[in-house]
């Protein structure tokens, strides 16, 4: 019994100087240090990508020539993408966002109504199939009319087109 009491100070000192810092690092600081390493690697990767010379494409090659938003072709395309007949188009609002010397930027706001799963499938199909347009945002909203509730999906889509000469 007397021997244990004699080494009690040494055991406490070892616990304080070795075990406690190891436990703190393992339980809290280890993940933080690992994340810091990932951030540093990502910053190096981004810096290397920025320093690499990139050949820019010609602006005319990147632009579409088929106008989907102004002519209503986007509505026809969306009707073909709708997997279920329970999804219906509530409103379609196209407008001109910006016009330059050789380009036109148009935006359309489309409101769809239906069940959650069919609307989600429609959103997925729109993300995959609308290659000429950019899906900017989507948002779900619940509308209550008396005892009836309906779910609406609002899509904001933009298209950058080349002006026809």
């Amino acid at each position: 019994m007397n021997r244990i009491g004699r080494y009690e100070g040494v055991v406490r000192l070892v616990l304080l100087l070795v075990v406690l810092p190891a436990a703190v690092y393992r339980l809290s600081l280890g993940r933080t240090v690992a994340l810091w390493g990932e951030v540093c690697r990502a910053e190096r990767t981004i810096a290397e990508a920025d320093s690499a010379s990139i050949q820019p494409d010609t602006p005319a090659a990147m632009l579409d020539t088929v106008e989907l938003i102004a002519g209503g072709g986007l509505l026809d395309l969306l009707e073909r993408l709708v997997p279920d007949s329970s999804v219906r188009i509530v409103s379609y609002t196209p407008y001109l966002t910006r016009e330059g010397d050789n380009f036109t930027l148009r935006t359309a706001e489309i409101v769809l109504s239906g069940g959650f799963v069919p609307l989600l499938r429609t959103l997925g199909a729109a993300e995959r199939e609308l290659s000429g347009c950019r899906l900017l945002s989507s948002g779900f909203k619940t509308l209550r009319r008396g005892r009836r509730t309906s779910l609406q999906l609002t899509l904001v889509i933009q298209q950058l087109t080349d002006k026809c000469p």
Side-chain angles (χ1 to χ4, degrees):
M1 191 82 164
N2 198 5
R3 280 190 190 177
I4 295 174
R6 188 170 29 173
Y7 297 111
E8 183 180 350
V10 174
V11 170
R12 285 186 179 185
L13 187 62
V14 167
L15 285 174
L16 184 64
L17 294 178
V18 176
V19 176
L20 182 64
V24 167
Y25 180 81
R26 173 80 172 119
L27 296 176
S28 65
L29 294 177
R31 285 179 272 176
T32 304
V33 171
L35 286 174
W36 180 256
E38 285 183 36
V39 167
C40 290
R41 282 191 296 276
E43 285 177 348
R44 273 187 259 126
T45 304
I46 290 171
E48 290 171 2
D50 286 344
S51 65
S53 64
I54 298 172
Q55 298 293 335
D57 293 338
T58 59
M62 296 185 332
L63 300 180
D64 288 332
T65 55
V66 177
E67 184 71 48
L68 292 175
I69 292 178
L74 184 61
L75 283 176
D76 297 333
L77 194 59
L78 269 176
E79 285 177 356
R80 280 187 268 136
L81 292 177
V82 172
D84 195 353
S85 62
S86 66
V87 175
R88 57 186 185 84
I89 298 172
V90 175
S91 70
Y92 176 71
T93 310
Y95 50 94
L96 180 66
T97 305
R98 189 157 196 188
E99 193 169 20
D101 292 336
N102 57 357
F103 73 91
T104 304
L105 180 64
R106 296 191 185 272
T107 306
E109 183 176 319
I110 303 166
V111 179
L112 305 170
S113 178
F116 179 71
V117 173
L119 285 174
L120 205 56
R121 285 187 182 135
T122 303
L123 178 61
E127 287 177 345
R128 284 189 310 275
E129 301 297 327
L130 294 177
S131 59
C133 299
R134 175 79 49 162
L135 182 65
L136 289 182
S137 70
S138 62
F140 286 95
K141 180 171 53 172
T142 304
L143 293 178
R144 290 189 170 89
R145 293 186 186 124
R147 293 184 181 182
R148 291 181 24 156
T149 61
S150 65
L151 184 65
Q152 289 187 342
L153 171 64
T154 303
L155 300 174
V156 178
I157 298 173
Q158 277 190 339
Q159 184 184 22
L160 185 63
T161 57
D162 190 14
K163 276 191 177 175
C164 296

